[in-house]
Amino acid sequence: MKKTLTTRLTALALVTVLTSSFAGSLAFAETAAPSSPVSMKSDMRLAIDNGAIEGYGDSDYRGANAATRAEVVTMINRAAKLKSADLGSVTFTDLANWQKQAVANAVAAKLISGFADGTFHPNAAVTRQELAELIVKVVTGGQLPKVNENVLNYFKDSSSIAKESRPYVAYAVISGIFTPTLDGNFNPTAEVTRDEVAKALKPILFKVVDILTTNDIHGKIEVGFDKKRNQGQGGIETLGGIVTDFRAVNPKGTVVVDGGDAWQGTLISNTTNGQSVMDTMAQVQYDAAAIGNHEFDFGRDVLIDNIKKAKFPILGANIIDDKTGKRVDWTQPYVIVEKDGLKIGIIGFATPQTTTTTKSTNIEGLSFVNPIPMAKELSAELRAKGVDIIMVTSHLPGEQNQKSAEIISELADLAKGTGNGTLDAIVGGHSHMRVAGIVNGIPVVEAQSWLYAVGHIQLFVDKSTKQVVSSNASLLETYTNLTTADAKIHQTVEDYKAKISAKSGEVEVVAAEPLTRKSFRFAVNGGVDRDGASQLGNSITDAMRASEKSDIAFTNIGGIRADVDKGELTYSKMFEVFPFGNYNVTGTMTAEQIKKALEVTDKYSNLPAIQFSGLKVEWDSTKPLGEKYSKITLVDGTPIYVDGKFNTDRTFKVTTNDFMATGSGDGFTVFGEVKDWKDGAIMLDAWVKYANSLKTAGKELSVQDDGRDVRLDLKK
């Protein structure tokens, strides 16, 4: 799976759109969302239409102008409909007549005060930290906000924020009131514009729904570590802290959903069939989750049992029983939750790609149909039930262009394929990419994977009509210094870790160098990961071939799920490389079938990327599909395909994994032609045994390019 980008950022959001890197210790980046055929009102227009901002009599609202104290107080007075105060209570000597009532109301509400010399300074510019204090006091009813100030660690100039302003600024940042600056600073004393005030008024004018999203957790509930930033990252206890921070700011309007593939992938999860993940997700208090393709990896019975035991709904509206032609009866299509007086319908979708990315025996008799018609049907059904907001949480993949910010793939298809008013928000997964933006007027997000980011969709809802009038989408970073970990969730994780500690810490071999899934040609092929042989691919297929004593071994690059650091290679680290529990299968293949397998191109790189052992091959990427390979032999020189001729004198003993052997995995249909597959060792066990043999011989695990895979067009 791949990973990529995002767009706008609010609240705890540190978005790395376009650059995917940080300037100094922190860098914020914001891009405009992709152009949309749906017209959304600007923040200024919304403020005007709701009576909070008036012009200067010439239809010019001067959005770029610095906002003065009198102007901001007047805007807040209109937006919040402050109680009228006695004009005699305000004796400031420098107020114009039009300013007096609004200032009197704001002073009476304890939002603002004047100066010791009896003046108000109505024409002085308002700073960012002053605006935070004004807006937050309105939202909290004048109360000092109880908020986690760790969010301010985002800013390089955090120390320059006035002490008395810090809780208000923290609250405002989490609320999405401020757009981050490109230089990673908050700039507390910078003047705000009238446009910025219009944006800040939205939490006063409208109900706010904060949708926090995760996807592709893959069992990674433990805190990870970002070596480049020397900072802890991810972990479900960190997610719990972020959710707590949002609920402190928006206790009635925070929604938490997951986009699927939550369980499969780590020892701490797989040993319990995902129970450790479900328990900690329950502690976070998710509102709903979608079914990902890897939810089927433990078998359908386990999936159904997990759905029954889950303390939150796990949804799959587009999973059809082929016998009945109807939705399966072991999951539900949607759930309705109530937040701040709003009925929110959450529809769950699996990706149609489940049919080719999941072991076929686990999904036999099921279809995963196009979600677009169902989204329209279920939306109408939910609207008829009085639902105000309709969102989708799904395992539909998204991709986002780094330069244009355009969003494509199934995530965008759903947004484009549904009419205006059908859906209000869409959450995706599966592709492990960073995606955030607006498509067809609908905010969409996908938050990478492994809890290394959290999606954030913010909906602003008209208090009377209960319709969404504005929205944005962003990603939040999950560095541990930006929140306070949830202590109860931390303890749950520690309890599960203790149960597997002995086996997980067992050292199987020492890695002589870092081992990656990247092509050996990565440095010379334009930085393409999936292009023929790789270090881990070679090591794993060598182990498969040795275990089954076969001529050739194949595995798919997508099944190798993690890289390996230099040093002690423990069982848990090897498990992370091979989390799926796949096993070797061995059968008989012809020379022609072997060439067909090699010729399959990867959907991400459009290059052959199958990993193999026992062969030496030569190929040219400029040749047509199916005609790329010119020479294929066994390592001992026995020809398989040479000079345009197949070896028809013999067949070959071939080992692959049970996922590929079905003929429906990652497009390798040729393996489905084999009729004599026999089960062998579990792939992880075979690799561990191979590693142990090196350790016993006093050797380290080192994988160099042995020339088994030659790409001719790069040699020209």
Side-chain angles (χ1 to χ4, degrees):
M1 300 293 182
K2 296 169 120 184
K3 305 167 177 69
T4 181
L5 308 185
T6 96
T7 46
R8 296 188 63 185
L9 142 157
T10 61
L12 290 159
L14 179 58
V15 182
T16 53
V17 182
L18 302 182
T19 60
S20 289
S21 61
F22 297 92
S25 61
L26 291 166
F28 294 83
E30 177 180 313
T31 68
S35 59
S36 166
V38 178
S39 176
M40 299 292 286
K41 291 183 178 181
S42 68
D43 295 337
M44 178 62 79
R45 186 72 259 170
L46 287 170
I48 294 165
D49 290 350
N50 283 271
I53 293 180
E54 295 181 357
Y56 291 82
D58 56 2
S59 299
D60 185 353
Y61 298 94
R62 293 167 172 75
N65 284 12
T68 68
R69 281 165 57 86
E71 288 175 337
V72 172
V73 165
T74 301
M75 295 173 190
I76 289 174
N77 183 73
R78 294 174 182 145
K81 297 179 173 57
L82 296 179
K83 183 179 179 180
S84 291
D86 181 3
L87 283 177
S89 64
V90 175
T91 58
F92 300 123
T93 59
D94 54 350
L95 293 178
N97 287 334
W98 68 269
Q99 300 167 343
K100 291 180 179 179
Q101 187 64 65
V103 171
N105 296 349
V107 171
K110 298 182 179 180
L111 303 181
I112 198 168
S113 59
F115 295 86
D117 63 357
T119 61
F120 184 75
H121 297 186
N123 298 319
V126 174
T127 67
R128 286 166 64 86
Q129 63 185 9
E130 288 171 343
L131 180 63
E133 187 168 343
L134 282 166
I135 297 295
V136 173
K137 281 182 176 179
V138 174
V139 174
T140 63
Q143 299 298 310
L144 181 70
K146 295 179 180 179
V147 63
N148 191 343
E149 295 181 21
N150 283 5
V151 66
L152 300 181
N153 290 330
Y154 273 123
F155 305 109
K156 292 186 290 187
D157 61 349
S158 172
S159 61
S160 66
I161 300 171
K163 182 178 180 180
E164 63 274 12
S165 297
R166 293 179 72 82
Y168 297 101
V169 173
Y171 192 106
V173 169
I174 294 172
S175 298
I177 289 172
F178 292 103
T179 299
T181 57
L182 290 172
D183 62 3
N185 290 311
F186 180 72
N187 299 323
T189 59
E191 298 176 355
V192 296
T193 66
R194 288 168 59 84
D195 276 335
E196 289 174 314
V197 178
K199 174 181 171 64
L201 292 174
K202 288 163 73 176
I204 300 173
L205 293 170
F206 308 109
K207 290 192 174 191
V208 181
V209 176
D210 286 301
I211 303 170
L212 301 179
T213 81
T214 59
N215 57 272
D216 299 277
I217 297 173
H218 282 293
K220 294 278 283 189
I221 59 175
E222 298 175 64
V223 174
F225 194 77
D226 185 335
K227 293 180 180 178
K228 292 182 179 179
R229 298 178 62 83
N230 194 34
Q231 179 66 55
Q233 182 181 21
I236 200 157
E237 64 195 57
T238 307
L239 170 68
I242 291 172
V243 172
T244 296
D245 294 344
F246 270 87
R247 287 178 175 147
V249 168
N250 191 4
K252 296 181 180 179
T254 299
V255 178
V256 186
V257 297
D258 182 74
D261 279 7
W263 312 327
Q264 171 65 276
T266 61
L267 196 61
I268 198 173
S269 177
N270 286 32
T271 52
T272 63
N273 284 340
Q275 191 62 48
S276 61
V277 179
M278 291 204 303
D279 285 352
T280 49
M281 289 178 74
Q283 288 179 293
V284 174
Q285 298 179 38
Y286 275 78
D287 290 288
I291 295 174
N293 56 301
H294 287 298
E295 259 72 70
F296 289 91
D297 285 350
F298 302 140
R300 200 183 309 179
D301 290 343
V302 173
L303 168 58
I304 294 171
D305 187 53
N306 281 354
I307 290 173
K308 290 177 179 177
K309 291 188 297 186
K311 295 180 180 179
F312 50 90
I314 300 177
L315 312 172
N318 62 331
I319 304 175
I320 304 300
D321 186 324
D322 292 339
K323 289 183 179 179
T324 65
K326 298 179 181 179
R327 293 188 189 98
V328 295
D329 59 6
W330 40 263
T331 185
Q332 60 194 88
Y334 59 73
V335 65
I336 300 172
V337 298
E338 188 162 326
K339 302 286 182 177
D340 197 14
L342 300 168
K343 287 186 177 181
I344 301 175
I346 307 173
I347 303 171
F349 288 128
T351 172
Q353 293 183 30
T354 303
T355 56
T356 58
T357 56
T358 302
K359 188 177 173 182
S360 60
T361 52
N362 289 346
I363 57 171
E364 189 174 355
L366 300 179
S367 294
F368 299 82
V369 301
N370 182 353
I372 295 174
M374 285 196 171
K376 295 177 180 179
E377 171 194 330
L378 293 174
S379 175
E381 183 177 319
L382 286 166
R383 298 287 183 197
K385 291 183 175 182
V387 169
D388 304 303
I389 296 170
I390 299 174
M391 62 170 288
V392 163
T393 186
S394 75
H395 204 56
L396 303 177
E399 295 180 45
Q400 189 161 24
N401 185 285
Q402 295 188 28
K403 294 183 178 179
S404 68
E406 180 187 8
I407 298 172
I408 60 172
S409 198
E410 291 176 17
L411 195 59
D413 292 344
L414 179 61
K416 293 174 182 177
T418 49
N420 297 347
T422 302
L423 300 174
D424 296 301
I426 304 175
V427 177
H430 190 57
S431 62
H432 292 206
M433 294 187 175
R434 288 182 166 230
V435 177
I438 308 295
V439 179
N440 195 29
I442 303 170
V444 301
V445 295
E446 180 180 347
Q448 193 176 322
S449 60
W450 296 2
L451 295 174
Y452 280 0
V454 173
H456 180 211
I457 290 175
Q458 200 167 42
L459 304 178
F460 297 93
V461 183
D462 187 282
K463 295 176 182 178
S464 299
T465 66
K466 296 186 177 181
Q467 292 183 335
V468 176
V469 296
S470 180
S471 62
N472 54 53
S474 66
L475 292 187
L476 318 177
E477 297 300 329
T478 57
Y479 291 108
T480 55
N481 68 326
L482 301 176
T483 186
T484 300
D486 186 294
K488 291 183 179 179
I489 297 175
H490 170 79
Q491 187 57 53
T492 301
V493 174
E494 289 300 308
D495 291 344
Y496 274 106
K497 284 170 64 177
K499 295 176 182 178
I500 61 167
S501 59
K503 183 64 177 176
S504 64
E506 187 177 280
V507 177
E508 310 300 346
V509 74
V510 173
E513 68 270 340
L515 304 178
T516 78
R517 295 161 288 175
K518 289 181 179 178
S519 166
F520 282 110
R521 292 184 281 269
F522 184 79
V524 296
N525 71 358
V528 177
D529 287 2
R530 298 185 176 204
D531 174 8
S534 67
Q535 287 175 296
L536 282 175
N538 283 10
S539 178
I540 288 163
T541 53
D542 285 351
M544 294 169 68
R545 187 163 66 99
S547 174
E548 309 305 327
K549 297 179 174 56
S550 50
D551 299 314
I552 303 164
F554 291 116
T555 197
N556 56 319
I557 188 65
I560 305 173
R561 305 299 287 188
D563 296 334
V564 170
D565 293 331
K566 178 181 178 179
E568 292 185 343
L569 187 52
T570 62
Y571 185 86
S572 64
K573 291 178 181 177
M574 295 183 79
F575 184 94
E576 288 181 12
V577 175
F578 262 148
F580 299 136
N582 291 108
Y583 52 89
N584 294 337
V585 293
T586 301
T588 305
M589 295 182 72
T590 65
E592 188 172 358
Q593 288 172 327
I594 290 166
K595 183 174 184 291
K596 281 183 181 178
L598 288 165
E599 291 275 3
V600 174
T601 55
D602 180 75
K603 65 180 179 180
Y604 294 112
S605 65
N606 293 318
L607 294 169
I610 194 170
Q611 306 297 291
F612 60 84
S613 174
L615 296 175
K616 295 190 73 173
V617 305
E618 295 180 3
W619 60 282
D620 187 330
S621 73
T622 65
K623 298 295 183 181
L625 194 65
E627 301 177 16
K628 296 183 183 298
Y629 283 78
S630 57
K631 185 176 182 180
I632 308 169
T633 70
L634 295 182
V635 289
D636 64 5
T638 301
I640 295 176
Y641 178 76
V642 180
D643 296 330
K645 296 180 180 180
F646 289 105
N647 184 342
T648 57
D649 294 336
R650 58 165 290 186
T651 55
F652 302 87
K653 186 178 179 182
V654 176
T655 298
T656 187
N657 63 63
D658 60 315
F659 169 70
M660 294 174 70
T662 63
S664 60
D666 282 359
F668 292 98
T669 57
V670 65
F671 291 114
E673 299 173 7
V674 179
K675 305 304 180 185
D676 63 342
W677 291 124
K678 290 182 175 58
D679 296 349
I682 293 172
M683 293 179 73
L684 174 61
D685 291 348
W687 194 36
V688 169
K689 182 179 179 181
Y690 180 80
N692 285 164
S693 69
L694 293 173
K695 180 181 178 182
T696 301
K699 298 179 181 179
E700 295 183 340
L701 177 58
S702 179
V703 186
Q704 306 301 319
D705 187 356
D706 58 10
R708 70 181 66 178
D709 175 33
V710 177
R711 180 174 159 185
L712 298 172
D713 56 293
L714 291 182
K715 299 286 186 181
K716 296 176 182 178

